[in-house]
Amino acid sequence: MGTGEHKDTGAIGKQNGEGNKEALRGAKYFQDPGFWGFIHRSFTKSMGYTDEDLRKPVIGIANTFSELNKCHSNFNELVEYVKRGVWQAGGMPMEFPTISIGEPYVKPTTMLLRNLMAMDTEEMIKAHPLDGVVLVGGCDKTVPAQLMAAISANVPAIVLTGGPMLNGRLNGQSLGACTDCYKYTLEHKAGNITDKELSTAEDAICRSDGHCMVMGTASTMASIAEALGMALPGCAAIPAPDSRRKHMAERTGKQIVEIVRQNIRPRDVITPKSIENAIRVTMASGGSTNAIIHLVAIAGRLGYKLELETFDKLAADTPFLLNLKPSGKYMMEEYFEAGGVPSLMKELESKLHTDCLTVTGGTVADNLRGVYTINRDVIASLDRPLAEQGGIAVLRGNLSPNGALIKQTAVSPHLKKHRGKAVVFHSPADLEARIDDPDLDVDENSVLVLINAGPKGAPAMPEIGQIPIPQKLLLKGVRDMVRISDARISGTSYGALIVHTAPEAAIGGPLALVRDGDEIELDIEARKLHLHVDDATLELRRKDWKPAEPAYDRGYGLLFLEHVLQADEGCDFDFLLPKELREARKKGGNAE
């Protein structure tokens, strides 16, 4: 398998056979006897560092704190504990910023900026005298962006996530953002909750620092970082306000110095085998559909084309074990108390590649010794799973020749096999304008279809695949319907939501050819998504199809539209892939 490794990554403190140490990247800056060494030392000493400090491994800390990113509100404090650990282990910490993208605020979607954050992070690592880097992230797109950057830069790195919020609490019940955000706004729209009750729920649901506390995308990606071996065991589930999160930050600071000394790099840890481990953990967790896009993009940075069939194959052989919202009962706080990701991986141990190296310096098998599960109601055993298959299914058919995704563990049972007539919305704006029209020709058996909401269409594939239930059906008690789009959904979403339909409508994919009244068949067990329209009719419609005007005509938006890949290829930029994978794409193959 190709790696696409940069030629100038710098030697990182590795011992050779004679016991001599190769020069650290930082040493090339600070121990240079010439003009530039003088400049580097002089400018750095002006910030209070000493000659003794400059002889230590230089540890960068990528701090993505931003007041525009609620999920990262505790990061400045966490970074201080990382620094403490770095100093204790004999390193010199140097904090630096990158862009920070928070789901609640960024429009049209954070997916527009994931690749930009990956570029920012990669270039900051490569441009500076860093021997190792701690990547501090948490909100949905930040962790995948950092992992993508880490692979491409290939400097010793470790991930520290900021942790989930404490459970929301209202009237003696636990609430989870944003699964219960959907529930409360839905019931308010149906007239079952007053404005005052809605406001009370707003105050109760997010009551601490941290990212969403259900198994949404943030928790899924934190779990993936741990399953890949890029975060210390136990990192993902510790609540953000818990003092043990600070302890984890300090241990992470210590461990990055050790990683530098052992010369463990991201491409030593993130491999096809460790990616399979991460997929299994995602499936057993009922993780977010967004994980598919991010893992495909992460694999792409290795020069590895990760096929959707791999996800489906592993899902079929990985039982669903984790009883967390939106597919279960509990949240990350209970997951942490039950043992977190290490306990889940212990249950899956017989199905994992336990020889994979991790940032502990040991293997997965080493890390799982002595691990056990505390609460079987939260983490089920392999022989008594919550369901026989993992959370995400890949659907194929004439409507999704390159695949579509559905979180089968969050689908109402009566909709897992369904056939109904399409009600088509031609854009997000069209959906917003007509979904609650009392004259909309729709009933509970209809299939709601949203087109032009994919990577190039919306633009940037926003999380609007949880198409609202029309208000007139809400008033009749309908709470789930089959809904199809080329958009994404939040990992906190639930229902019969078919997303990531590829190729997307904006480039002429079959979804663009659906018309009101067409019959669509969903059969999750058979992995089938079929449009019951004959080929001749579809061909006539295809001849009449015209692409919409692009959303951008300049700047980063135009760069995104011109270079973003489709959902089944990870939505990375084509030019960010390693050379061998770019060439393999042109030939229609892999880089292996």
Side-chain angles (χ1 to χ4, degrees):
M1 181 181 68
T3 62
E5 183 167 359
H6 295 283
K7 294 180 180 179
D8 185 22
T9 55
I12 310 291
K14 187 174 183 179
Q15 299 284 355
N16 67 21
E18 274 88 48
N20 295 322
K21 184 181 286 188
E22 298 174 9
L24 293 167
R25 294 174 85 226
K28 293 180 179 180
Y29 279 69
F30 296 123
Q31 295 175 27
D32 174 7
F35 171 78
W36 282 109
F38 179 93
I39 295 295
H40 295 149
R41 290 188 297 274
S42 177
F43 277 64
T44 308
K45 287 181 187 179
S46 75
M47 296 186 287
Y49 296 99
T50 66
D51 283 320
E52 182 182 1
D53 295 334
L54 300 185
R55 288 191 289 271
K56 302 177 188 292
V58 181
I59 305 300
I61 304 172
N63 184 2
T64 53
F65 168 80
S66 168
E67 290 184 347
L68 292 173
N69 190 342
K70 170 264 178 295
C71 304
H72 295 194
S73 58
N74 62 326
F75 279 21
N76 285 338
E77 182 181 33
L78 276 185
V79 164
E80 292 306 311
Y81 285 90
V82 175
K83 290 178 180 178
R84 178 190 294 182
V86 171
W87 283 121
Q88 289 174 355
M92 184 178 82
M94 300 191 80
E95 177 185 345
F96 66 93
T98 69
I99 63 170
S100 181
I101 45 182
E103 295 295 321
Y105 302 122
V106 174
K107 306 299 179 194
T109 168
T110 54
M111 197 62 187
L112 181 69
L113 301 177
R114 183 202 66 178
N115 297 345
L116 182 61
M117 182 177 177
M119 294 166 68
D120 181 7
T121 306
E122 175 186 349
E123 298 307 325
M124 287 292 287
I125 294 171
K126 285 160 46 180
H128 291 93
L130 305 180
D131 300 308
V133 62
V134 178
L135 302 166
V136 187
C139 199
D140 294 16
K141 308 306 176 295
T142 61
V143 174
Q146 290 174 329
L147 289 169
M148 292 158 67
I151 294 168
S152 295
N154 206 31
V155 168
I158 189 169
V159 171
L160 174 68
T161 50
M165 289 183 274
L166 297 173
N167 293 356
R169 296 292 295 172
L170 181 63
N171 300 326
Q173 294 184 329
S174 289
L175 304 180
C178 261
T179 301
D180 288 307
C181 306
Y182 293 112
K183 183 185 79 172
Y184 276 93
T185 53
L186 201 67
E187 296 304 326
H188 180 259
K189 183 178 175 181
N192 298 326
I193 289 177
T194 65
D195 291 349
K196 184 177 180 180
E197 289 171 327
L198 187 68
S199 179
T200 300
E202 288 173 5
D203 293 340
I205 201 165
C206 296
R207 66 186 184 99
S208 78
D209 290 335
H211 60 67
C212 292
M213 67 294 260
V214 302
M215 189 47 70
T217 306
S219 296
T220 299
M221 291 310 305
S223 301
I224 282 173
E226 198 173 321
L228 286 170
M230 285 295 293
L232 291 179
C235 180
I238 306 170
D242 194 301
S243 62
R244 287 163 287 191
R245 175 62 57 186
K246 298 172 185 175
H247 302 165
M248 178 60 69
E250 183 178 298
R251 289 203 302 274
T252 299
K254 290 180 180 178
Q255 189 59 27
I256 185 59
V257 180
E258 183 60 27
I259 291 169
V260 169
R261 288 174 176 146
Q262 294 186 35
N263 193 26
I264 297 173
R265 303 194 188 197
R267 291 180 202 153
D268 299 323
V269 175
I270 304 175
T271 66
K273 282 186 175 182
S274 71
I275 288 172
E276 286 194 3
N277 287 346
I279 294 172
R280 286 198 186 272
V281 167
T282 301
M283 295 304 174
S285 304
S288 169
T289 50
N290 286 311
I292 310 300
I293 281 180
H294 299 320
L295 282 168
V296 170
I298 288 166
R301 294 300 182 99
L302 293 172
Y304 171 52
K305 190 177 190 314
L306 182 56
E307 302 286 355
L308 293 185
E309 279 69 24
T310 301
F311 293 93
D312 214 31
K313 177 183 175 182
L314 294 175
D317 186 47
T318 306
F320 172 46
L321 302 179
L322 189 58
N323 193 9
L324 260 61
K325 289 185 177 184
S327 298
K329 177 181 178 181
Y330 298 107
M331 286 173 277
M332 293 296 285
E333 195 171 340
E334 289 85 3
Y335 188 24
F336 169 59
E337 293 167 356
V341 174
S343 293
L344 183 72
M345 292 182 72
K346 186 67 175 180
E347 298 301 328
L348 295 170
E349 188 169 13
S350 63
K351 294 180 177 291
L352 299 177
H353 299 289
T354 57
D355 59 340
C356 289
L357 180 67
T358 75
V359 292
T360 65
T363 64
V364 171
D366 295 331
N367 296 344
L368 293 181
R369 288 195 186 100
V371 173
Y372 59 94
T373 295
I374 297 170
N375 188 338
R376 284 287 176 211
D377 196 32
V378 178
I379 304 173
S381 63
L382 200 62
D383 58 351
R384 299 185 67 182
L386 301 174
E388 293 299 325
Q389 293 189 352
I392 300 169
V394 178
L395 305 173
R396 298 277 187 178
N398 66 345
L399 200 51
S400 56
N402 292 353
L405 305 180
I406 189 166
K407 187 187 286 189
Q408 59 181 334
T409 51
V411 176
S412 300
H414 72 284
L415 293 175
K416 291 188 174 183
K417 189 172 184 178
H418 182 79
R419 183 166 173 166
K421 293 184 177 180
V423 178
V424 181
F425 301 93
H426 296 277
S427 67
D430 183 35
L431 172 68
E432 184 176 357
R434 294 196 296 122
I435 189 65
D436 291 327
D437 186 341
D439 295 325
L440 185 68
D441 185 11
V442 65
D443 62 33
E444 64 271 20
N445 296 312
S446 298
V447 175
L448 305 180
V449 178
L450 171 62
I451 68 174
N452 293 317
K456 294 180 184 287
M461 208 179 177
E463 291 181 343
I464 55 175
Q466 186 157 5
I467 302 169
I469 305 294
Q471 188 171 34
K472 69 179 184 180
L473 297 182
L474 280 176
L475 297 174
K476 294 180 180 180
V478 177
R479 292 296 182 269
D480 197 7
M481 298 174 68
V482 174
R483 288 159 278 180
I484 303 173
S485 71
D486 46 13
R488 296 179 299 113
I489 50 173
S490 166
T492 66
S493 299
Y494 58 90
L497 310 173
I498 301 167
V499 290
H500 302 199
T501 306
E504 65 174 310
I507 64 170
L511 203 63
L513 309 180
V514 181
R515 301 290 182 266
D516 287 336
D518 289 348
E519 286 203 338
I520 296 176
E521 180 183 0
L522 165 66
D523 187 336
I524 295 178
E525 184 177 357
R527 301 297 195 260
K528 180 180 180 182
L529 182 62
H530 187 76
L531 176 65
H532 285 274
V533 176
D534 63 82
D535 292 343
T537 301
L538 291 177
E539 187 57 34
L540 288 173
R541 293 178 183 177
R542 188 171 286 108
K543 290 179 179 178
D544 290 337
W545 175 80
K546 294 180 180 179
E549 286 294 315
Y552 301 104
D553 62 5
R554 63 166 301 279
Y556 175 74
L558 180 60
L559 177 76
F560 184 96
L561 293 180
E562 290 180 343
H563 293 283
V564 70
L565 301 172
Q566 287 293 288
D568 60 302
E569 296 181 288
C571 293
D572 203 353
F573 290 154
D574 51 14
F575 62 82
L576 292 178
L577 299 178
K579 180 181 178 181
E580 61 270 27
L581 190 53
R582 296 198 306 271
E583 293 174 350
R585 286 187 73 251
K586 293 177 182 178
K587 298 175 183 177
N590 207 327
E592 291 184 305

